[in-house]
Amino acid sequence: MYQFVALLLWPILLVQALWVKRNTLRLPEAEGERSGKGGYGMPLNLLILGDSAAAGVGVDTQDKALSGCLSKCLAQYYSLNWALVARSGATTVSTLNHLRSGHGIKVMQSNEFDLVLVSLGVNDVLSPISVNRWLLAQRALIDTLYQYSPNAHIVLTPVPPLGVFPAFPSLLGWFLGQRAAAFNDKLRQLASGDTRCCLLDLQLPVNDEAMARDGFHPSSASYQLWGEAAASHYISATKGSANQY
């Protein structure tokens, strides 16, 4: 249904998209280390993989970003060895190509990861890729991760509700919200039919406190909630009991 409306209103959507691209505040990726060790207990190798949100856009340093929040939570229970592979603008296909490149292969060969948290989909929704082609790319990404870490617990992050993001005008927001919902439907189908991965139950709030200054990326408070949710999910999945932070 939303595709038909988009065909009718594509000139307006195009104008709004160009306006957003020209006027949205562009924030840098968070500064700081992209790998580290800490904690005590059973060893755990963690890979955080993805886009600008995974890279910490919206906060100043990695300790306030997803990598810092998640690693601090997990380090309470594990001897943690973590790595972050993320960049602004990354799509599922570009991330897959990176993992298959020389540098990506080096990262994947450096450790057999126990937990992989994936943050991809927003830039795919913003691109012309079809939802079915995106699903194929997601499956290929999971296959590649398992090639190097066959025992990994892969956690997929749902696409956020772009339709209510402050950065988008109402019509464009509606279209992107519908498209994001369609992508999430496919992601749920993938996770329910593939025992190698699961979909994180994550619904971050969308308000001034939860959003960065650009009206698009998470704030430090949202990164904290995201990290807590991912850590709690992993601990529950591997130990059979939920943990609170």
Side-chain angles (χ1 to χ4, degrees), residues 26 32 220:
R26 297 193 178 188
S220 58

PDB file of all heavy atoms in Angstrom, residues 26 32 220:
ATOM      1  N   ARG A  26      24.861  17.282  10.880  1.00  0.00           N
ATOM      2  CA  ARG A  26      25.701  16.096  10.729  1.00  0.00           C
ATOM      3  C   ARG A  26      26.660  16.003  11.915  1.00  0.00           C
ATOM      4  O   ARG A  26      27.493  16.887  12.126  1.00  0.00           O
ATOM      5  CB  ARG A  26      26.481  16.153   9.415  1.00  0.00           C
ATOM      6  CG  ARG A  26      25.571  16.145   8.194  1.00  0.00           C
ATOM      7  CD  ARG A  26      26.314  15.877   6.911  1.00  0.00           C
ATOM      8  NE  ARG A  26      25.410  15.838   5.782  1.00  0.00           N
ATOM      9  CZ  ARG A  26      25.743  15.473   4.546  1.00  0.00           C
ATOM     10  NH1 ARG A  26      27.000  15.125   4.298  1.00  0.00           N
ATOM     11  NH2 ARG A  26      24.855  15.471   3.587  1.00  0.00           N
ATOM     12  N   GLY A  32      37.289   7.616  20.613  1.00  0.00           N
ATOM     13  CA  GLY A  32      37.703   6.642  21.613  1.00  0.00           C
ATOM     14  C   GLY A  32      38.085   5.311  21.010  1.00  0.00           C
ATOM     15  O   GLY A  32      37.989   5.092  19.792  1.00  0.00           O
ATOM     16  N   SER A 220      22.839   9.554  24.781  1.00  0.00           N
ATOM     17  CA  SER A 220      23.546   8.682  25.721  1.00  0.00           C
ATOM     18  C   SER A 220      22.558   7.828  26.522  1.00  0.00           C
ATOM     19  O   SER A 220      22.834   6.666  26.821  1.00  0.00           O
ATOM     20  CB  SER A 220      24.420   9.517  26.658  1.00  0.00           C
ATOM     21  OG  SER A 220      23.640  10.464  27.372  1.00  0.00           O
TER      22      SER A 220
END
